[in-house]
Amino acid sequence: ANRGIDLDLDTLALDDAATYEMLARGDNLGVFQMDSAGMRELLLRMAPTEFNDLIASNALYRPGPMGVGAHWAYADRKNGREAVTPIHRELEEPLREILGETYALIVYQEQIMQLAQKVAGYTLGQADLLRRAMGKKKPEEMAKQRSIFEEGARQQGIDPELAVRIFDLVEKFAGYGFNKSHSAAYALLAYQTAWLKANHPNEFLAASMSLDLNNTDKLGLFRQELIRIGVALMAPDVNQSGAAFSVDYE
């Protein structure tokens, strides 16, 4: 309304170069789910260029993946600083469709389910039970699932010793695997807020400051951001100021 522009965030194209360039610079203050120093470091290292990177960053920036360095591995593999190493050379081609978008890393729970279907012949329902069992980490349930997995893999023509190694690997990743559908929803909101900041920074920061009106620490950060991008913050004026922050181009 401030500039006569009618925006429909639900119809935004997900390939806006300015948005990804902004995030690749670590310019993430105010961006949904990405507004932290740690995420800034990850974005700088990852240099996201597409929506899948934002989905992955939401799933990777969590204690489990970070504990084993999976977030750095994704960033480095994406940018050619680390070789994309398959979880096992004999399964590189069969699993390319499942793990290709995450550079041969198991990042999402859905990938664990797909892998079980591909390697051990699980049905979708059985794969969901496997996911749940791995999440609960109950020894008796895991022993049962291991037997099912190894027998299923044998029926698929996979060497028993390889099946054991694959199950061990999947179990390790399952301890922190995140739900991709959840991460994608977060990533969409992150992209929308990042797009607004990249394309309409003044209005975005005014709205962000209004949202955090009672948080003086956050207001201080936004004030520094305004200084950084060269936008003046006017003092309160009894004749002009409203109840919230606004933008004045006069």
Side-chain angles (χ1 to χ4, degrees), residues 202 206 209 213 219 222-223 226-227 230-242 244-250:
N202 295 354
M209 293 175 77
L213 202 57
L219 289 179
F222 284 126
R223 181 176 182 274
L226 289 172
I227 294 172
V231 175
L233 178 62
M234 308 302 292
D237 188 316
V238 70
N239 294 313
Q240 296 184 23
S241 298
F245 290 91
S246 60
V247 179
D248 186 356
Y249 285 101
E250 293 183 2

Side-chain angles (χ1 to χ4, degrees), residues 21 23 28 47 54 62 127 133 137 146 159 189-190 195 202 221 245:
E21 288 168 5
L23 293 174
N28 60 326
L54 302 188
R62 298 179 186 278
K137 298 179 182 177
R146 179 180 291 276
D159 179 81
L189 290 175
W195 185 94
N202 295 354
L221 293 175
F245 290 91

Side-chain angles (χ1 to χ4, degrees), residues 18-90:
T19 299
Y20 292 108
E21 288 168 5
M22 182 190 77
L23 293 174
R25 295 194 303 270
D27 187 355
N28 60 326
L29 183 66
V31 177
F32 179 76
Q33 286 289 304
M34 297 187 173
D35 188 3
S36 70
M39 181 60 85
R40 179 179 188 271
E41 188 177 5
L42 176 57
L43 292 171
L44 281 167
R45 190 155 167 176
M46 181 186 293
T49 54
E50 58 181 73
F51 190 62
N52 275 335
D53 293 334
L54 302 188
I55 299 175
S57 67
N58 267 295
L60 289 166
Y61 191 69
R62 298 179 186 278
M66 294 170 70
V68 295
H71 59 322
W72 297 144
Y74 183 102
D76 290 343
R77 290 183 183 194
K78 171 180 170 58
N79 291 286
R81 295 185 294 268
E82 177 182 310
V84 177
T85 307
I87 61 173
H88 194 281
R89 61 183 181 276
E90 293 181 28

Side-chain angles (χ1 to χ4, degrees), residues 32-229:
F32 179 76
Q33 286 289 304
M34 297 187 173
D35 188 3
S36 70
M39 181 60 85
R40 179 179 188 271
E41 188 177 5
L42 176 57
L43 292 171
L44 281 167
R45 190 155 167 176
M46 181 186 293
T49 54
E50 58 181 73
F51 190 62
N52 275 335
D53 293 334
L54 302 188
I55 299 175
S57 67
N58 267 295
L60 289 166
Y61 191 69
R62 298 179 186 278
M66 294 170 70
V68 295
H71 59 322
W72 297 144
Y74 183 102
D76 290 343
R77 290 183 183 194
K78 171 180 170 58
N79 291 286
R81 295 185 294 268
E82 177 182 310
V84 177
T85 307
I87 61 173
H88 194 281
R89 61 183 181 276
E90 293 181 28
L91 296 175
E92 179 177 7
E93 191 57 39
L95 298 183
R96 189 183 303 277
E97 183 179 352
I98 298 171
L99 302 180
E101 70 176 68
T102 52
Y103 305 99
L105 296 166
I106 301 175
V107 175
Y108 309 115
Q109 291 179 352
E110 289 89 340
Q111 290 176 310
I112 293 170
M113 296 170 65
Q114 290 174 305
L115 190 149
Q117 290 178 277
K118 188 79 171 182
V119 173
Y122 276 55
T123 66
L124 191 58
Q126 289 173 326
D128 190 49
L129 291 175
L130 173 65
R131 176 193 62 79
R132 294 183 191 181
M134 288 183 165
K136 293 177 181 178
K137 298 179 182 177
K138 291 184 178 180
E140 64 275 13
E141 291 187 26
M142 288 309 301
K144 179 180 177 182
Q145 286 296 331
R146 179 180 291 276
S147 296
I148 295 172
F149 188 94
E150 292 176 5
E151 174 59 23
R154 186 189 65 77
Q155 293 180 12
Q156 297 290 106
I158 293 176
D159 179 81
E161 291 186 8
L162 174 57
V164 170
R165 293 200 296 273
I166 295 301
F167 188 89
D168 289 341
L169 183 64
V170 171
E171 184 177 10
K172 170 187 170 185
F173 278 97
Y176 62 71
F178 194 67
N179 186 294
K180 184 181 181 182
S181 57
H182 193 160
S183 187
Y186 274 22
L188 181 59
L189 290 175
Y191 178 86
Q192 290 172 341
T193 54
W195 185 94
L196 287 169
K197 185 178 183 183
N199 291 277
H200 302 283
N202 295 354
E203 287 77 11
F204 176 80
L205 289 169
S208 297
M209 293 175 77
S210 296
L211 184 65
D212 283 310
L213 202 57
N214 297 315
N215 186 336
T216 53
D217 290 340
K218 200 64 179 285
L219 289 179
L221 293 175
F222 284 126
R223 181 176 182 274
Q224 293 175 19
E225 186 80 345
L226 289 172
I227 294 172
R228 185 183 69 82
I229 66 175

